[in-house]
Every structure is written in C-alpha cells, then in structure tokens.
Amino acid sequence: MAPDMSNIYESAEATLGFISSPCLTKVELRVACRGISDRDALSKPDPCVVLKMQSHGQWFEVDRTEVIRSSSGPIFSKIFLVDYYFEEVQRLRFELHDISSGNNGLRDADFLGAMECTLGQIVSQRKLTKALLKQGNTAGKSSITVTAEELSGNDDYVELSFSARKLDDKDFFSKSDPFLEIFRVNDDGTESLVHRTETVMNNLSPVWKSFKVSLNTLCSGNHDRELKCTVWDWDSNGKHDFIGEFQTTFKEVRTEQDGKQIQWECINPKYQIKKKNYRNSGMVILNHCKIIKMYSFLDYIMGGCQIQFTVGSGSYLFNPFYFTASNGDPRNSCSLHYIHPYQPNEYLKALVAVGEICQDYDSDKMFPAFGFGALIPPDFKVSHDFAVNFDEDNPECAGIQGVVEAYQNCLPKIQLYGPTNIAPIIQKVASSASEEMHTKEAMEYFILLILTDGVITDMADTREAIVHASHLPMSVIIVGVGNADFTDMQILDGDDGILRSPKGEPVLRDIVQFVPFKDFKHASPAALAKSVLAEVPNQVVDYYNAKGIKPKCTLDYESTRTFSP
C-alpha cells in the first residue's frame, strides 16, 4: 500500500510560504582588531578572522578575511556580506587565528581568541567592540570591532586598476615595496577602508592588480564623496613607511571611461612643509575604470531563466536516490528506504521539502529521476545512473509527486548494492550544464540534489567532478539521511575553506551545500529547505554576473539588490 502523501504536501505548502519571504536587507560587516598579543618575542602575529554562523546548535564557516602579516592591530579589507532577518536570532562567532607563513589553512594556525554576538546587536549599535575570549572564556588584552552598514539599493560594481611612477625610495639597500590603500570618507568624518592592494616588491613604478568593488562600498552611491588614497612602503615588521597620499572622488575617477587618463600627485605633507623644492613623492595613475551592472536573482528569473531541478525544457538534470545496500532492505522497517503505510521516510521528506521549492521555477515540471548503486533488472548489473521509472528513453516524471511514485514503484524491483559512487551522476549533470553554458544566455541553471547516507566511496573523483562543475551553471545540494557519521563529508568544504581537486585545483566558486537530515529531524520541512537552498540565489547571480551574461529579457525596473561578483 502506498503511503498517504497528503501530509507531505501540506508541509510543503508551508515551506513555500516560509521560503518565498525575502530577507529584510543585506548588511556589510567590517572587522578590525587591537592589542593582539605576539605569538613570540621575535615576531608579530599574522592574523586572520573567520566568521561563523550558528545553525541548530552548530557553527558553520561563512567567510574569512585575508591574512595580514606582522600586525597586532589589523584593519581587514575583506568585507563580510550577510543577510539580515529581523524575525530571526542570527548568532555570529568571529574567530581570530594566527596563520603561519606559507600556510593559509587553520590546521596549523594558533587560535588567538573569539567573540560571539548576534547580528541584531551589531546592527542596533552600528559599531560593536568586545574583548576576544581565549580558551576557557578568559579575556585577554585584545579586542575586536565589527562595524555594520546596510547595503543600499545601488547595484553597480566598478572594476579599477592603478599603477604608480617614480615613488619615493624608502629602503637603503633596495627599492620601496609599495601598496595602495583606498578609504571612503563618511559623513561623520570617519574613514572606512575600501580596498588594500597587494604589495609589489622592490619597484618604484608598480602596477597593482585590478579589483572589483561595489559602488555602495566605494562611495555609498554618492559619486561626489571624498576618497582618500594612501601609498605605503611595506615592511616585514608591520611598521610600514608612509610614502604619500591624495584625495579624489568617484566622479573624477569615472571620467577615465571617456578616454581621459587620470593621475594624481602623491603628496607627503611633512615633506611639503620641510622641503623647499618638494614637488611630490611620485605619481599614481588610474589605468582602468569599468562600471559593471550587477543583476539580481529576480532579474534572471523574471528574465526567463529556468531553475532545472531534475529536468527542464529538454535538458537533463538528475535527481539521484541512494539505493546502496548500506541502507538496508526496503521491506525492513529499519531501512532508510522503508515505505511506511502512513509516514514518509527521510528520503521522501527531504525530496519533497526541496523539490516543492525548486519546481516553481521550472515551467514544464517534468523531472527525470535517476538512481545509483543498485542491481537493475532484467540482467541485474550494477548501475550508478539508471532511470527510476526504468524508461531510459523517457525518464521524466510528472512533478515531484511523479518522482515519489516512481521511487516507490522502483524499490521492490531492484537489489540494493555498492559501491557508492556519486561522481558519475555529478558528471552527467555537468555535461548538460556544459551544453547550456555554450549558449552564453541565462536560460537554464541546474540544481543537483543528492540524497546519501554519507558513505561515499569515490571521494577523490567526487572532488574532481565538483571542481569541474564549479565552472558551469549548476549547484550541488547534498542531504545526508540516517544517523551515519558524516565527518568524511566535511572534506567537500576543503581543509582551508576552499574545496580542491586531488591535484590541488581550487573550485572557481562555492557550489556545494551539505546538510545532515538528522539536524532537521524535529524541525519543519521549511527549515530544511531554507538551509539547503539559502545559497542558491547568490550562486545563480555569481555565475551569470562573473560571465558577464545579462538576463535574456531586459526588465523595466532597476534591481535593488547587490551581489558580490
């Protein structure tokens, strides 16, 4: 007897209402620290701040700053972008680590302290300063300051590149090692660090790498706002030598687009007073200025982009079920695949919670469903990509309910088997996404849902497949079902926060979201769906904006949200 699915679909309706409410706003968080104790008497620490958010009692890394070498009072240029929900208590944890030279990972880093607070506390105070607590919650002399700013409606980014000529030489035995800092001058006269370039060693005429920054970050959308730029000679002990400074505005900077080269005299005020014939400490040149229109998730969706969850418009996306023997006999009530006459199993709960959201963005709602890790009739050979409805020519199922029914009908006819290889199914989705990529239009974005008990036997191949897929219009959602130990799955997040292939190639962008179902066992389907789908809008926007692909249909309204490039 097939289970009554009505309860699942009632829950899914609640899920839809919960997810469709957008976040209230986006908030930028800037971080600075003071009084960091030296790691030893001979050197200053190399600090890095890791931002974590709490979900269901566990801390998950959201992002991390750059590493600043030899600094006891770092001001980080990395800006954290977070969604702010008034109706939620969003717990944050800022961890300060001393990263050893030559290694940007946390494995060999020294923990220097942490600060916990809520996003609401930061937003309400605009600037929050608290002591960094060490192991055992003991307070040292170091502190952290987090400044919040609401992201305005300006949705443009600007790409800038600078160089310099004939800078002052501050070193005795070699040439200066210059870097450039750009600050935004706020209405109250305070300054906010916008960008810090890399250091160009031993060069008085450096060319710094181009960088992208939102106009909101650069000038709060006000093109006449003053920008203060300073040039320094980097020193390994952290006591950098001041070379000079200049002031400008974005209004002046953007004139470079008209073919007019902009340059500024780099002035050291002390030299200007003391030296009679002082002219400047070098020239800083704007090499490139390009305004980049950033489109939002809704821009792409309303422009005709389809979210292909398992299928869509003739392009395949696979929804693999985990049919390996580790899940047990589906006729046994202990099996994860057990079909209860009145209660859906974990696979169905996870499928419906996520699928009901995604299907709203797919016009034909026909989903091919594929499984892996089973012996398939009639010859019962192992397969990792079989059609759940056993129709290889037409594996489509009508809606999420059709997928559920195909799953129920399939189970009695197969034999669960192993090993558990998920790389082939990722590669198949990537093949379809690759075809879409070549159209260079925002028509189809692929979401791959993998349901697994965590025992993946081809981790190396899976990492390789994900790194390849990160270049394509697709995202991978992995839901771990059952009570297995999912420790091995954490490798998908990478040792240093970046997933890498076995050969060391990093992902181009983060496309994987892993969630253990047991964390949501006593929560609503809404909570599970929200957790696994929260990153999808940004992943869609990141892909198309990075490729310079505009929405297919030009919209009549201006987007009001900004996303990182």
Side-chain angles (χ1 to χ4, degrees):
M1 177 180 178
D4 180 6
M5 301 305 297
S6 61
N7 289 338
I8 297 184
Y9 284 94
E10 287 174 8
S11 299
E13 286 177 14
T15 300
L16 288 171
F18 188 82
I19 294 299
S20 61
S21 59
C23 68
L24 185 61
T25 188
K26 281 185 174 288
V27 174
E28 289 182 336
L29 301 179
R30 291 177 169 81
V31 182
C33 299
R34 292 179 63 89
I36 303 175
S37 57
D38 292 356
R39 182 173 46 189
D40 54 55
L42 299 177
S43 65
K44 291 182 180 179
D46 301 327
C48 169
V49 171
V50 175
L51 171 62
K52 294 184 176 181
M53 295 189 77
Q54 192 177 70
S55 176
H56 297 85
Q58 295 185 356
W59 293 105
F60 297 94
E61 179 176 338
V62 175
D63 208 345
R64 62 179 67 183
T65 68
E66 74 276 18
V67 178
I68 296 182
R69 300 296 176 190
S70 300
S71 178
S72 57
I75 300 174
F76 297 96
S77 64
K78 170 72 177 183
I79 297 172
F80 296 128
L81 185 64
V82 296
D83 289 341
Y84 165 65
Y85 296 89
F86 174 77
E87 70 276 14
E88 294 182 21
V89 177
Q90 295 172 270
R91 300 191 184 280
L92 306 180
R93 177 179 171 88
F94 297 85
E95 293 183 357
L96 181 65
H97 297 269
D98 181 7
I99 307 293
S100 58
S101 295
N103 177 28
N104 286 330
L106 298 181
R107 180 174 292 177
D108 301 318
D110 292 330
F111 174 74
L112 299 180
M115 184 272 281
E116 295 181 13
C117 63
T118 67
L119 183 56
Q121 288 171 332
I122 301 174
V123 170
S124 62
Q125 298 182 42
R126 293 289 299 273
K127 180 182 287 188
L128 178 67
T129 299
K130 294 182 71 174
L132 286 163
L133 302 181
K134 297 184 178 181
Q135 301 288 2
N137 289 332
T138 58
K141 296 180 180 179
S142 57
S143 65
I144 185 170
T145 298
V146 184
T147 306
E149 183 176 357
E150 182 180 355
L151 203 60
S152 75
N154 190 296
D155 58 356
D156 289 340
Y157 269 72
V158 61
E159 184 178 70
L160 300 169
S161 65
F162 292 88
S163 62
R165 186 173 67 246
K166 296 182 179 179
L167 294 175
D168 285 353
D169 194 351
K170 296 290 185 179
D171 296 334
F172 289 108
F173 303 108
S174 63
K175 295 177 182 178
S176 294
D177 307 316
F179 66 91
L180 171 70
E181 290 184 329
I182 301 174
F183 293 87
R184 183 189 71 211
V185 180
N186 302 312
D187 292 336
D188 59 1
T190 59
E191 299 173 357
S192 298
L193 179 63
V194 170
H195 182 76
R196 180 187 293 119
T197 70
E198 76 284 5
T199 300
V200 178
M201 304 299 289
N202 196 31
N203 196 327
L204 300 182
S205 297
V207 178
W208 292 292
K209 293 178 182 177
S210 65
F211 61 93
K212 294 177 183 177
V213 62
S214 74
L215 282 182
N216 181 79
T217 298
L218 182 65
C219 59
S220 302
N222 178 3
H223 293 194
D224 292 314
R225 184 176 296 280
E226 182 181 338
L227 302 176
K228 179 182 176 181
C229 306
T230 56
V231 181
W232 300 84
D233 170 31
W234 178 84
D235 202 326
S236 59
N237 64 10
K239 296 179 180 178
H240 311 307
D241 297 316
F242 177 72
I243 294 178
E245 63 186 15
F246 62 93
Q247 286 74 37
T248 186
T249 63
F250 179 66
K251 185 176 182 179
E252 182 181 21
V253 167
R254 72 182 184 185
T255 59
E256 192 274 340
Q257 291 187 109
D258 302 325
K260 176 185 175 184
Q261 187 181 54
I262 310 293
Q263 59 182 16
W264 300 269
E265 288 187 297
C266 193
I267 302 297
N268 186 324
K270 289 184 179 180
Y271 290 176
Q272 207 170 28
I273 295 172
K274 293 180 180 180
K275 296 183 177 182
K276 274 188 177 182
N277 298 323
Y278 176 77
R279 294 183 60 186
N280 57 58
S281 295
M283 301 295 293
V284 174
I285 302 108
L286 175 65
N287 296 330
H288 173 71
C289 173
K290 179 183 178 183
I291 295 177
I292 305 167
K293 169 70 178 176
M294 300 301 291
Y295 296 96
S296 74
F297 178 65
L298 285 180
D299 286 335
Y300 287 103
I301 294 301
M302 297 180 74
C305 183
Q306 297 283 302
I307 299 297
Q308 302 295 359
F309 177 73
T310 69
V311 77
S313 304
S315 296
Y316 287 91
L317 185 70
F318 306 92
N319 177 21
F321 289 98
Y322 196 69
F323 285 122
T324 56
S326 58
N327 289 296
D329 188 335
R331 293 167 294 185
N332 186 329
S333 62
C334 296
S335 168
L336 294 174
H337 285 295
Y338 175 61
I339 300 178
H340 193 282
Y342 306 111
Q343 184 177 357
N345 61 32
E346 291 187 7
Y347 281 88
L348 298 184
K349 288 179 181 177
L351 166 66
V352 173
V354 178
E356 282 284 85
I357 302 297
C358 294
Q359 72 173 358
D360 271 9
Y361 302 97
D362 183 1
S363 58
D364 69 2
K365 294 178 175 50
M366 295 296 294
F367 307 127
F370 286 78
F372 58 93
L375 302 175
I376 307 304
D379 52 5
F380 288 95
K381 291 183 178 179
V382 66
S383 174
H384 295 289
D385 56 358
F386 63 92
V388 173
N389 66 1
F390 299 115
D391 187 348
E392 297 295 338
D393 296 327
N394 183 22
E396 295 183 341
C397 304
I400 298 302
Q401 187 171 5
V403 177
V404 170
E405 291 172 356
Y407 166 73
Q408 294 168 336
N409 295 331
C410 168
L411 279 173
K413 301 174 183 176
I414 63 173
Q415 293 180 20
L416 306 180
Y417 199 69
T420 304
N421 298 334
I422 68 171
I425 210 82
I426 296 174
Q427 291 163 352
K428 284 202 169 185
V429 180
S431 177
S432 298
S434 180
E435 294 178 14
E436 163 65 13
M437 181 186 71
H438 293 310
T439 68
K440 296 183 179 179
E441 291 185 344
M443 289 304 295
E444 294 175 331
Y445 188 92
F446 296 81
I447 295 179
L448 167 62
L449 172 65
I450 296 177
L451 305 172
T452 173
D453 71 353
V455 187
I456 292 178
T457 53
D458 65 339
M459 185 60 76
D461 289 341
T462 296
R463 287 163 55 198
E464 185 82 41
I466 290 172
V467 168
H468 170 68
S470 71
H471 294 258
L472 305 172
M474 66 177 285
S475 297
V476 179
I477 295 171
I478 303 175
V479 178
V481 297
N483 295 313
D485 181 4
F486 290 113
T487 304
D488 289 345
M489 296 296 291
Q490 302 308 319
I491 195 172
L492 297 179
D493 292 329
D495 292 336
D496 59 356
I498 300 174
L499 174 66
R500 297 176 184 272
S501 71
K503 297 177 183 177
E505 181 187 356
V507 288
L508 182 65
R509 57 194 185 91
D510 181 18
I511 64 167
V512 177
Q513 181 76 359
F514 171 73
V515 174
F517 185 87
K518 62 184 178 183
D519 290 352
F520 298 87
K521 205 164 188 175
H522 303 294
S524 68
L528 172 66
K530 180 178 181 180
S531 179
V532 300
L533 294 173
E535 298 302 317
V536 167
N538 277 3
Q539 289 171 355
V540 172
V541 167
D542 286 351
Y543 174 78
Y544 288 120
N545 275 319
K547 293 284 186 180
I549 299 175
K550 299 179 180 180
K552 188 168 177 61
C553 300
T554 304
L555 303 182
D556 294 329
Y557 67 92
E558 285 292 321
S559 169
T560 57
R561 293 183 68 187
T562 304
F563 292 86
S564 300

